[in-house]
Amino acid sequence: SQKIEQNSEALNIQEGKTATLTCNYTNYSPAYLQWYRQDPGRGPVFLLLIRENEKEKRKERLKVTFDTTLKQSLFHITASQPADSATYLCALEEYGNKLVFGAGTILRVKS
Amino acid sequence: DAGITQSPRHKVTETGTPVTLRCHQTENHRYMYWYRQDPGHGLRLIHYSYGVKDTDKGEVSDGYSVSRSKTEDFLLTLESATSSQTSVYFCATTPSTSGASDTQYFGPGTRLTVL
C-alpha cells in the first residue's frame, strides 16, 4: 500500500510570506492527489485535487504541484495569513476507491 | 458542507464494553467511510461501505465491525473496547458513484476514551 510522508515538524512562517508544504509518496504514482485542511477539534476539509496529468493547480492563494517523477506534491499558500494556521493533510487514491492520508503538517502563521 | 453528523461526539467507556458510533448523512452519497485519527498516524481507514449492506475492510479493521442498513446511516461497532481503541473517529462520505477521483466530506468526529 501507499506510504505518504509529510513533514512532522511544524512550519512556522511570518504573515505575508509563502508557505510551502511537502508530500512525498513511496509506491506507485496515484491517478490523483488531494489536499485537505484540518482545524483543531474538527474534521478535515477538502481544498484541492490534482490529477497525474496536471503539473499544477491553483485556487485563489493556493497552488499545488504534482511531480510523478519525484513522487512528490508541493502545496503553496501565498500571502499567508494567521487564519491559514491549521494542519494540512495530503491524500492519495488507492485501489478500491479509497484514500490514504499522510499524518499532516502543522502550519503556524505569525502576525 | 455535506450534511454529516456523528453521534455521540464524546464518549468515555470501560475496557470490555461494546460501543457503537453512528454516522448520519443527508446527501444520499453512496460511499461512506470510517477513519480513526491518532497522533503521528494521521487518518487510517477502518471500514468503508459502497452501498446498503455492502462493506469492506480498511487498513485497521481488527476489533471493529460495521453495518449499513440504510443509505444515510453507517454504524461502527467496537465489540469489546480496548484502551488501544482510544482515538478520534471520523466518518466521511463521497458523492462519487465509483468512490474514486472525488473529494471526501468529513463529519465532526467522535472522541472515544476507553479506560
Side-chain angles (χ1 to χ4, degrees):
Chain A
S1 63
Q2 282 282 14
K3 292 201 181 298
I4 301 171
E5 296 175 355
Q6 292 186 258
N7 196 335
S8 59
E9 292 185 12
L11 176 63
N12 296 293
I13 64 167
Q14 202 65 32
E15 182 177 8
K17 301 293 186 182
T18 296
T20 298
L21 307 177
T22 303
C23 174
N24 295 298
Y25 57 94
T26 58
N27 293 341
Y28 61 89
S29 283
Y32 62 89
L33 183 151
Q34 301 183 24
W35 283 89
Y36 288 76
R37 169 184 172 139
Q38 186 174 23
D39 292 290
R42 308 194 71 168
V45 175
F46 169 77
L47 295 174
L48 281 169
L49 180 153
I50 185 167
R51 302 187 187 281
E52 61 180 338
N53 60 349
E54 297 174 318
K55 296 296 184 187
E56 181 179 298
K57 197 86 168 275
R58 291 176 184 264
K59 178 183 176 182
E60 298 173 352
R61 294 184 296 111
L62 309 181
K63 184 179 83 170
V64 173
T65 63
F66 192 7
D67 189 326
T68 56
T69 301
L70 294 178
K71 295 189 176 181
Q72 181 181 80
S73 174
L74 298 179
F75 177 80
H76 307 272
I77 304 176
T78 59
S80 58
Q81 306 165 0
D84 295 325
S85 298
T87 298
Y88 291 87
L89 309 174
C90 166
L92 308 183
E93 61 93 15
E94 195 169 59
Y95 75 95
N97 308 318
K98 296 175 284 188
L99 286 178
V100 176
F101 284 84
T105 299
I106 297 172
L107 173 65
R108 300 192 189 104
V109 182
K110 299 184 178 180
S111 57
Chain B
D1 290 343
I4 302 172
T5 57
Q6 293 184 230
S7 58
R9 293 294 314 281
H10 302 271
K11 186 171 182 66
V12 180
T13 191
E14 294 188 351
T15 297
T17 59
V19 177
T20 295
L21 309 182
R22 180 181 184 240
C23 177
H24 179 78
Q25 58 133 336
T26 59
E27 304 296 322
N28 202 35
H29 290 173
R30 177 184 173 190
Y31 279 76
M32 298 185 74
Y33 306 82
W34 275 108
Y35 294 91
R36 60 177 290 173
Q37 187 173 39
D38 305 286
H41 288 279
L43 287 160
R44 290 182 291 174
L45 183 64
I46 304 171
H47 282 280
Y48 70 105
S49 169
Y50 46 96
V52 174
K53 297 193 187 322
D54 292 323
T55 64
D56 204 350
K57 296 179 180 179
E59 177 190 357
V60 290
S61 59
D62 287 348
Y64 301 94
S65 63
V66 290
S67 66
R68 192 165 177 205
S69 59
K70 297 185 291 185
T71 297
E72 57 266 35
D73 290 325
F74 193 29
L75 304 180
L76 177 70
T77 297
L78 291 66
E79 302 291 347
S80 178
T82 67
S83 59
S84 65
Q85 294 175 312
T86 293
S87 186
V88 180
Y89 292 84
F90 287 100
C91 172
T93 72
T94 180
S96 169
T97 55
S98 67
S101 301
D102 211 333
T103 66
Q104 291 190 7
Y105 296 90
F106 284 81
T110 294
R111 183 172 295 276
L112 176 67
T113 302
V114 183
L115 302 175

